[in-house]
Amino acid sequence: MYEFIKTNQMDIMLALCTVCFTMALMLVITRFLPARRKWILIGMELVAAFLLFFDRMAYIYAGVPGTVAYVMVRLSNFMVFFLTAGIVFNFNLYIIDLLNENKKISFIPKRLIFTGVASVIEMMLVVISQFTGMYYSFDANNIYHRGPGFLICYLIPVIGPLIQFTVCMKYRKRFSIYINIALSLYIFVPIIMGIIQIFAYGISIVNMAMVMVSVSLYIFTYLDINDEVVRTHKIEMENLKQERKSSRRLFEQTAGAFIKAVEKKDELTQDHSSRTAELARRLAKAAGKSEEECDEIYYAALLHDIGLISMPDSLLTKEDDLTPEEMDMIKHKPILSAEILSSITEYPYLSVAARYCYERYDGSGYPDGLKGEAIPEVSRIISIADAYVSMNSKRSYRDALPLPLIREEFVTCGGTQFDPNYTDILVQLIDNDVNEKVLTEEVELETELQCGKYRDAVSAGILIDNEVTRITFMCVNSASTEGEFSQPSIILFDSFDRHVYSNAKAIEAFKYTEYGELWFDGHSVTTNARNIRVKTTDSEDVSAEQKNGDLSDQFYSITTRRFEDHLKLVLESKWRIVEAIVALPDKTKSAYVGITGENCYITGINVEQTGEMTGAEDIPRIEEELDYTDRIASDVPNIQIDRTRSAATEGIALTDHIRINFHSMSLPSANLVWHCPYIVLFYSDDKKVYGEGYREYAMIKLNGESDPTKEFAENKFVIKKTEKFQNWGAWKKTGHRGMECEVRIKRRGNTITTLTENLGIYIENITTLKDGNSKVYVALTGDQVALTDIRIR
């Protein structure tokens, strides 16, 4: 390496000089550095370039005779020694400028003052040495020789940077990593080369090193600038985002306040728009829309009904059927909304969304009768969200509809009233959230009831299931006349929303079924239960008057349990124990206890789950089990599924091709379109659904729904309504009468194709296995349906 540098050092020095001059020129045209910093760096680059230039000249003219050579050798050596001290001086200025940037410090460190003064003194000593020969001299042949004080000239270039380094170390945390690297290189590389220079006479490695670290200083300064630009850009972008969020928040608050003012025209519609907007955003997010698109859909949904401001209050709260004129006003509302929102020119999508959100997918909507994909996507999303919130909200003429009925409405109206893709997404959200109180609120149980006339106050239903439940409360006589009947009682019932109804419309809407009533004195009324058998036991110390008298003003408890279609209730008071066995219409029904009474005040209602489970031996059967599988049995035993997937056939091994034919009949209690057969593709060690090692690949409902599970397989699900499909009412009726079903399944490697068509619902599902399992089974299950005469081909 030494010989290479010595041989080629003239060319190396020339190249480095060129680089330094180029760097200085680039610094002149740069705009990103502070002016003082820029000129200091230019000075450092020029000093380094001239240092190496004159050092090169000294080598070129050394030992050359003539006047020019005589002058150049002396001038060049003078400039080399002078500029070496100048390097230290300029570097001192650079460090001071770094420390003064953004007022990192308010004073100049004394060590830097000392270094600066010492470097100036060194430059003066260089001038003096020209007359004394202290640093160097020349012989008659124009050859350079070191003088007696040669080592003194290296004190400042070596000690000065070390002093500067102590300052850099003290304030290193105030510099970026690039600046710290550049400062360290600038200080230590020349020092190391200077020490080597003492022993390596004949090559100018110190000066070449000075040029190289000057170049590195330029490079690291630019890297630091880039970092600073990036940081500044991030800060600016963050500030821009915050400003944008602030603007959107202001817009949202303003829009929300305006909408609330409009919705105050009808108390029952308050928060309708905000709930619609939140659900629309969820639909958009579930569909994979970007955050910006989700925000746009949210704001469009928030303002879609702004035209309500022009509607008369009497029209918004009207319970009777609308007249043709009133219907025309309703149909004009989206046009008014669009006209109002068209003034917000920054967000043109608001006006578009509002105009078309009452269009229907089949073209039967208003105001323009658009159809299918011609309806803007944002309007299709808002239409679904708005319909859901309307059905899920209380109105002056009805309570909020129960979730199963809302779900059925979207299942049956996908492709007609609503976009089928977004309808499927909403149904999935409903299914996912059914136990999370996201789309619907859990019914709260009252803790007290003021009962006047019988049944004018009834608690929300308390579920009776397989786990033993204990209900306790206190009851006080509140009769206004002495001797007037006063006693608590319970109602046994089922409804979608766990409430008792007497109104015919509500009974139909919430599928309300009342099984019977029980009193704590042992009286009972049977309505839709198949049978109620009551046994009473009086306390030994109760008198005849007490047996037939007032049973209020005391503590009461009810213990409930269930096994299949039978209930057992034990009603206890201070005077009497009433034990009731209730035979429900079938296993499919839920059963709830509603607490009520007459002329009494009930307080402290408490429900406790005991953890005790009920078996067949705990409830004596008073009616025979209802069996709807009394038909011919073929290759697979008949099954009756009373509740969602409560029973299933044993797994049928899937080969290359399999055809399953069977008879399906909905149970009498079935009333929803998905009360039908299901097909399950799965694996388990024992060939049973939910068995050991269970993996589910697909679950297909014959009404045209599928489970979107993706853990073990990917499914491509296609549903079509053929010309054979009449309507969903006919689907339900035929299901109750019974129908023949056929399912064809083909397997090719990891791909399984399932085909079936029933009453005009054509289904094709392609399942791609992720685990490559060679064993796959198919089973039949369902919800409130009996499957018989199951044949495998």
Side-chain angles (χ1 to χ4, degrees):
M1 177 63 73
Y2 174 80
E3 290 299 327
F4 175 80
I5 295 174
K6 187 174 182 179
T7 304
N8 301 284
Q9 73 169 332
M10 293 299 105
D11 295 331
I12 294 172
M13 293 166 79
L14 181 61
L16 290 173
C17 282
T18 305
V19 171
C20 252
F21 280 120
T22 304
M23 296 298 180
L25 179 61
M26 293 178 69
L27 281 165
V28 170
I29 62 177
T30 190
R31 297 182 179 180
F32 295 107
L33 283 171
R36 178 178 170 83
R37 175 89 47 84
K38 181 172 77 171
W39 289 110
I40 290 173
L41 284 170
I42 291 171
M44 293 174 71
E45 295 294 336
L46 289 176
V47 167
F50 281 116
L51 172 66
L52 201 57
F53 172 78
F54 283 111
D55 198 18
R56 185 172 182 271
M57 292 296 102
Y59 277 98
I60 291 173
Y61 288 102
V64 176
T67 304
V68 174
Y70 179 88
V71 172
M72 286 303 299
V73 166
R74 284 155 180 78
L75 177 62
S76 296
N77 279 279
F78 168 74
M79 292 302 295
V80 167
F81 280 84
F82 187 85
L83 293 176
T84 299
I87 288 265
V88 177
F89 181 80
N90 273 288
F91 187 57
N92 215 57
L93 294 177
Y94 180 72
I95 296 172
I96 292 171
D97 186 66
L98 285 175
L99 292 173
N100 284 332
E101 185 182 26
N102 299 324
K103 297 184 179 179
K104 289 186 173 72
I105 59 173
S106 58
F107 60 92
I108 299 174
K110 292 180 180 180
R111 283 168 288 179
L112 293 182
I113 295 174
F114 170 78
T115 307
V117 172
S119 60
V120 171
I121 292 172
E122 169 61 20
M123 286 186 278
M124 293 173 62
L125 289 175
V126 171
V127 175
I128 293 171
S129 73
Q130 302 305 303
F131 305 100
T132 64
M134 179 173 63
Y135 288 163
Y136 57 85
S137 61
F138 302 94
D139 60 19
N141 295 318
N142 209 22
I143 301 296
Y144 163 89
H145 296 282
R146 291 177 179 177
F150 173 78
L151 291 178
I152 297 174
C153 73
Y154 275 92
L155 289 176
I156 293 304
V158 174
I159 296 174
L162 289 175
I163 295 172
Q164 291 168 336
F165 179 71
T166 63
V167 176
C168 294
M169 284 299 294
K170 181 176 180 179
Y171 298 103
R172 66 186 182 280
K173 292 183 179 179
R174 306 189 184 191
F175 306 137
S176 71
I177 186 171
Y178 293 120
I179 295 300
N180 276 311
I181 292 172
L183 293 176
S184 297
L185 289 175
Y186 203 91
I187 290 169
F188 287 107
V189 170
I191 290 175
I192 294 169
M193 293 299 108
I195 294 171
I196 296 173
Q197 180 77 78
I198 295 172
F199 306 100
Y201 187 76
I203 58 174
S204 188
I205 56 175
V206 172
N207 294 336
M208 285 190 285
M210 288 302 305
V211 171
M212 286 189 288
V213 294
S214 295
V215 172
S216 73
L217 187 64
Y218 170 87
I219 294 171
F220 281 111
T221 299
Y222 259 84
L223 290 174
D224 182 60
I225 290 171
N226 289 338
D227 259 20
E228 187 62 33
V229 169
V230 171
R231 282 195 299 271
T232 303
H233 178 70
K234 284 183 179 179
I235 292 171
E236 289 177 352
M237 291 303 296
E238 190 61 34
N239 290 337
L240 196 61
K241 286 180 181 179
Q242 291 300 324
E243 289 178 8
R244 186 177 180 185
K245 285 181 180 179
S246 180
S247 299
R248 291 206 169 207
R249 194 159 47 245
L250 178 62
F251 175 77
E252 182 179 346
Q253 290 171 351
T254 305
F258 187 63
I259 287 296
K260 283 184 178 180
V262 173
E263 290 178 345
K264 278 191 175 294
K265 293 162 71 98
D266 181 4
E267 290 185 0
L268 294 177
T269 63
Q270 289 187 25
D271 296 325
H272 175 91
S273 294
S274 60
R275 291 175 62 202
T276 300
E278 288 293 346
L279 182 55
R281 192 207 295 271
R282 287 195 69 201
L283 287 168
K285 187 175 181 179
K289 300 294 183 185
S290 67
E291 185 177 352
E292 184 176 356
E293 289 173 317
C294 290
D295 285 343
E296 289 182 357
I297 290 167
Y298 173 85
Y299 294 125
L302 186 66
L303 293 167
H304 79 284
D305 254 351
I306 200 73
L308 281 173
I309 197 171
S310 66
M311 299 286 107
D313 296 355
S314 59
L315 182 59
L316 298 177
T317 57
K318 187 173 182 181
E319 297 184 18
D320 300 329
D321 293 337
L322 299 178
T323 65
E325 293 77 15
E326 290 171 333
M327 196 63 219
D328 286 341
M329 291 180 66
I330 293 293
K331 290 185 176 181
H332 193 63
K333 181 182 67 171
I335 298 175
L336 289 173
S337 298
E339 288 175 353
I340 294 170
L341 295 173
S342 64
S343 59
I344 307 177
T345 55
E346 288 294 318
Y347 304 118
Y349 62 86
L350 295 175
S351 176
V352 173
R355 182 180 181 91
Y356 300 112
C357 63
Y358 288 97
E359 300 287 358
R360 293 194 169 197
Y361 201 75
D362 60 2
S364 63
Y366 59 87
D368 298 325
L370 298 185
K371 182 178 181 180
E373 301 294 318
I375 305 170
E377 186 177 35
V378 61
S379 299
R380 283 179 269 143
I381 294 172
I382 294 172
S383 174
I384 291 173
D386 181 64
Y388 176 88
V389 173
S390 295
M391 287 186 272
N392 193 235
S393 302
K394 186 176 181 179
R395 292 291 182 260
S396 58
Y397 52 89
R398 64 159 172 82
D399 286 331
L401 295 179
L403 202 57
L405 290 184
I406 297 174
R407 186 186 189 280
E408 183 181 49
E409 185 72 13
F410 284 103
V411 169
T412 57
C413 292
T416 53
Q417 182 175 348
F418 306 114
D419 182 322
N421 294 325
Y422 284 102
T423 299
D424 289 344
I425 292 172
L426 179 64
V427 170
Q428 289 174 22
L429 289 178
I430 292 174
D431 292 344
N432 292 340
D433 296 337
V434 70
N435 294 319
E436 299 177 15
K437 297 190 291 186
V438 176
L439 292 175
T440 184
E441 294 183 359
E442 186 68 23
V443 177
E444 291 187 6
L445 178 67
E446 300 85 345
T447 57
E448 58 182 49
L449 296 167
Q450 179 65 62
C451 304
K453 292 182 179 180
Y454 180 55
R455 294 177 62 145
D456 67 354
V458 185
S459 74
I462 302 165
L463 179 66
I464 306 174
D465 61 8
N466 192 248
E467 183 178 0
V468 177
T469 301
R470 181 175 167 80
I471 308 163
T472 57
F473 58 88
M474 296 294 294
C475 182
V476 178
N477 188 334
S478 65
S480 58
T481 306
E482 186 176 351
E484 194 172 6
F485 182 80
S486 173
Q487 189 179 141
S489 61
I490 64 171
I491 303 169
L492 301 175
F493 70 96
D494 180 26
S495 76
F496 280 144
D497 69 344
R498 292 173 47 187
H499 285 105
V500 172
Y501 291 99
S502 57
N503 177 277
K505 288 185 177 180
I507 289 172
E508 173 59 29
F510 295 94
K511 306 302 178 186
Y512 177 75
T513 303
E514 189 168 305
Y515 305 127
E517 301 158 276
L518 294 170
W519 282 261
F520 283 80
D521 62 4
H523 288 84
S524 68
V525 173
T526 303
T527 47
N528 288 298
R530 285 190 286 158
N531 193 2
I532 296 180
R533 186 174 295 173
V534 177
K535 175 185 176 182
T536 62
T537 305
D538 292 328
S539 298
E540 293 180 0
D541 58 347
V542 72
S543 65
E545 291 79 9
Q546 289 172 324
K547 289 181 181 180
N548 300 312
D550 183 12
L551 293 182
S552 62
D553 296 345
Q554 59 179 288
F555 176 80
Y556 291 85
S557 72
I558 307 166
T559 304
T560 69
R561 65 199 315 159
R562 173 175 182 165
F563 185 78
E564 295 184 345
D565 57 352
H566 274 55
L567 311 178
K568 181 177 180 180
L569 298 97
V570 180
L571 286 65
E572 296 184 62
S573 64
K574 184 178 180 181
W575 318 113
R576 188 167 292 155
I577 298 175
V578 178
E579 183 179 297
I581 307 297
V582 181
L584 299 177
D586 54 48
K587 300 176 186 177
T588 67
K589 295 289 187 181
S590 295
Y592 297 95
V593 170
I595 301 172
T596 186
E598 186 174 355
N599 297 319
C600 59
Y601 179 48
I602 298 171
T603 61
I605 300 174
N606 182 61
V607 179
E608 177 189 358
Q609 303 293 330
T610 66
E612 180 185 351
M613 306 309 291
T614 304
E617 69 281 359
D618 294 317
I619 305 179
R621 181 170 284 279
I622 61 175
E623 293 290 341
E624 292 297 320
E625 183 178 355
L626 294 175
D627 185 5
Y628 297 97
T629 63
D630 188 18
R631 286 174 53 89
I632 186 172
S634 297
D635 300 326
V636 176
N638 298 341
I639 59 168
Q640 179 173 314
I641 306 109
D642 296 299
R643 293 169 177 251
T644 304
R645 298 183 67 172
S646 60
T649 64
E650 187 171 287
I652 304 162
L654 185 57
T655 56
D656 291 345
H657 181 274
I658 190 172
R659 187 178 71 189
I660 305 174
N661 295 86
F662 58 93
H663 183 270
S664 167
M665 184 179 73
S666 300
L667 301 186
S669 58
N671 51 44
L672 298 170
V673 295
W674 58 83
H675 290 161
C676 65
Y678 302 170
I679 305 159
V680 180
L681 300 179
F682 72 100
Y683 169 80
S684 71
D685 298 339
D686 56 5
K687 301 196 296 185
K688 293 180 180 179
V689 174
Y690 301 130
E692 189 71 26
Y694 184 72
R695 295 184 178 187
E696 186 163 300
Y697 301 118
M699 194 279 285
I700 303 162
K701 302 179 183 180
L702 295 197
N703 70 306
E705 296 184 71
S706 70
D707 188 343
T709 178
K710 295 182 179 180
E711 185 175 1
F712 301 111
E714 293 284 346
N715 286 280
K716 183 180 179 182
F717 185 77
V718 177
I719 173 179
K720 297 178 183 177
K721 294 177 182 176
T722 68
E723 58 185 14
K724 296 179 182 179
F725 180 77
Q726 298 178 25
N727 54 60
W728 288 108
W731 165 272
K732 291 181 184 180
K733 288 181 181 179
T734 305
H736 281 289
R737 288 197 304 265
M739 62 181 180
E740 291 294 322
C741 301
E742 180 179 277
V743 179
R744 288 170 290 151
I745 305 175
K746 298 179 182 179
R747 179 173 184 178
R748 295 290 183 272
N750 290 328
T751 302
I752 301 170
T753 303
T754 305
L755 300 170
T756 185
E757 182 177 344
N758 303 279
L759 302 179
I761 299 296
Y762 172 81
I763 296 171
E764 178 179 344
N765 186 70
I766 300 175
T767 304
T768 304
L769 305 182
K770 291 182 178 180
D771 59 4
N773 201 335
S774 60
K775 292 182 180 180
V776 177
Y777 302 103
V778 58
L780 299 179
T781 181
D783 191 355
Q784 299 194 32
V785 67
L787 306 179
T788 58
D789 191 18
I790 304 171
R791 291 147 282 153
I792 311 300
R793 300 289 183 269

